[in-house]
Amino acid sequence: MRLAEKLRSAGVVFLTVAALTLAAPSPAGAAEDLPASKAGVAYALPEWFKPSFLDFRQDVAEARKQGKQVLVFFHLDNCPYCARMLKDNFTSGENHDFIRKHFEVIAVNVRGSLDTRWVNGETYTERGLTAHLGVRGTPTLVFLDPEGKNVLQLAGYRDPRALRAALDYVQSQRYRSAPFSRGS
């Protein structure tokens, strides 16, 4: 075999191996190998969050009958700030019991496609409701009073102390007489 034929043959083998390598599926754990800033943080919503058909008129009425208010937890899958907010405030710590006692928590995925009916009767997808309420980041908490009025909307992670100030403000209904401030 002449040199030119050997090189041509070697080139075909190389291209075949390269094509097969690129076409092969990636390993199952590939995303797990990425740094958290690239892959996000997987989390599960607490089991005690209210299972809802996302009809907020009905959810508000049910919460009112129980002497509670509605807290809507807007989240995004793999959001590290959502994961931390859940861990620090909803699955452990002193806010956990307070929230369970005084609020019905309903999760809404900001990129979700489930149908919702907001308290005004308008229907939206989860994504559409996110836009309607002006949610710009995750997590965002929207607190509804017993009549379904949005009385407080907080964007971003809140440490337990800061969130407790908001929880107390809403639960005590101080929104009826004063605007929320960090010192509330």
Side-chain angles (χ1 to χ4, degrees), residues 18-36:
L20 289 173
T21 303
L22 292 174
S26 61
E32 295 169 12
D33 296 336
L34 293 174

Side-chain angles (χ1 to χ4, degrees), residues 152-171:
L152 183 62
Q153 186 162 321
L154 300 174
Y157 171 83
R158 293 291 190 272
D159 67 39
R161 186 172 173 215
L163 182 59
R164 185 53 179 258
L167 293 167
D168 287 337
Y169 173 81
V170 174
Q171 190 275 327

Side-chain angles (χ1 to χ4, degrees), residues 84-145:
R84 186 167 175 206
M85 176 83 95
L86 289 167
K87 179 181 174 281
D88 292 351
N89 292 288
F90 291 85
T91 60
S92 63
E94 45 185 78
N95 288 338
H96 169 264
D97 292 337
F98 188 85
I99 294 168
R100 289 191 72 170
K101 181 177 180 181
H102 298 287
F103 296 91
E104 288 287 348
V105 182
I106 300 167
V108 171
N109 185 331
V110 297
R111 291 192 181 158
S113 59
L114 295 176
D115 290 329
T116 69
R117 183 174 302 274
W118 192 235
V119 290
N120 63 3
E122 295 291 323
T123 58
Y124 305 93
T125 62
E126 290 170 290
R127 183 183 293 230
L129 180 61
T130 299
H132 171 72
L133 294 177
V135 172
R136 302 271 187 261
T138 57
T140 291
L141 305 178
V142 174
F143 295 87
L144 303 177
D145 73 4

